[in-house]
Every structure is written in structure tokens, then in C-alpha cells.
Amino acid sequence: MVQYATAVELASYLQQDLDTSTANLVLTLASEQFSRAADAWWAPQTVTYTRVGTWRTVLVLPFHPVTAVSAVRLNTVAITGHTLIESTLYRSAGFGTPHANPPDKLEVDLTHGYTEATDDVKAAVLDMAAQAYVTPVSAVSSESIDDYAVRYSAGNGGVQLTPFAADLATSYRVPAVA
């Protein structure tokens, strides 16, 4: 997994010296968690999308943004005549037959993801990583002295989406279109 910020940037963000290994770990985990929440990646990803063939002439790919389609295969045979616009493939002849027995197998080799992390994404990841670096486990929410008692607040430690990161991730999500 790619980090959307560096350990040096996290040290500057926190204004303190850091353990580089721990900083890299929380940055990697925060970057992955942010990508999953945003349903987008800020480093190119190459995948093969596989599904049952369809007579439909429009195929909405479940990735955002799709930057390239290198091959489309129907039952392992390359097919042409398709056009990519944003995250949607168009082909006037459709993409197979879903009612064959067995149904047609459609495979699309594609690349998706942004080329690099934007400043807003970097800020969100730094915010998440800083929180995780400073509070790696649940924080103490109350403590008593007589008959010693300590209470930990659940969910306040570790790598989590901060409110800023959650709002930003939501803004990057693309609504699902059938």
C-alpha cells in the first residue's frame, strides 16, 4: 500500500520528533483506511474486473476514476469496439449473453485511481495518522484514586477516520449508478 504522506510530514504536522517505523505504519494504515472510505485510490491500481456477460450496451465499472482499459475479453476472447467515458464502457453489440449455460464470462483489464495524493487528501491522512500516533490505544476517560478505578473510552485510539477525513472521504465517493 502507498502512503499519502511521509514520516517527515507527520513529524512537522505534530511538531515533534517521531519513531520513523511507527510513523510509517500509521501513515500506511491511515492511507488505506481513507482510500476505502473514499472508495478511491491516489495511486494507480491495475485490476481485472470479472462479471457475467450482459446484453446491455452500457457497462458501469465499479472503480473511480478509471484511467485506462487495456483489454476486454468475452469467454477469454478479446473484443473490440468499446468506448470508455469516465468509469463507463459503451459497446453497441453489448458485452455477452447472461442467459447462456454457462453464462458468458466478461473480463475487463483496467487501471483506476488518481496519479497522486492531493493536498486535501494528504491533510486528512496526516490528521488520522497524528491521532493514531498520539493515541495508539483507547484513551483513559476517567480515573479515581481511592479504591483505584480507571475507565477507558472505547473508540478513541488507533487509526480511525477523523471527522475531517470522514467528510472529505464522503465528498470523493461517487454515487452508484446501475
Side-chain angles (χ1 to χ4, degrees):
M1 179 62 198
V2 178
Q3 293 179 0
Y4 300 152
T6 66
V8 171
E9 291 169 325
L10 182 58
S12 294
Y13 187 84
L14 289 171
Q15 298 180 0
Q16 67 184 48
D17 290 334
L18 305 178
D19 171 56
T20 305
S21 178
T22 304
N24 283 324
L25 176 63
V26 296
L27 284 164
T28 299
L29 295 173
S31 297
E32 174 73 18
Q33 189 172 24
F34 182 81
S35 283
R36 290 193 185 285
D39 200 24
W41 278 254
W42 281 264
Q45 310 285 314
T46 302
V47 298
T48 298
Y49 172 61
T50 304
R51 61 161 288 165
V52 171
T54 177
W55 287 325
R56 297 183 66 188
T57 60
V58 176
L59 178 65
V60 178
L61 300 168
F63 303 97
H64 175 74
V66 175
T67 56
V69 171
S70 58
V72 178
R73 292 180 302 283
L74 192 57
N75 298 325
T76 70
V77 177
I79 60 173
T80 59
H82 52 80
T83 302
L84 174 67
I85 300 175
E86 295 181 359
S87 293
T88 305
L89 272 179
Y90 298 89
R91 184 170 187 257
S92 59
F95 295 94
T97 305
H99 301 296
N101 191 9
D104 285 341
K105 179 181 179 182
L106 177 64
E107 297 172 293
V108 181
D109 296 336
L110 61 96
T111 303
H112 68 94
Y114 297 95
T115 55
E116 62 182 272
T118 54
D119 288 341
D120 58 347
V121 170
K122 188 179 286 191
V125 169
L126 284 170
D127 195 39
M128 293 170 60
Q131 173 184 274
Y133 190 89
V134 172
T135 312
V137 294
S138 294
V140 174
S141 63
S142 68
E143 193 171 7
S144 301
I145 299 296
D146 293 330
D147 294 319
Y148 185 77
V150 65
R151 183 177 306 210
Y152 294 93
S153 58
N156 284 343
V159 180
Q160 299 180 36
L161 287 171
T162 61
F164 166 66
D167 287 347
L168 184 63
T170 300
S171 74
Y172 274 101
R173 280 188 162 282
V174 174
V177 178

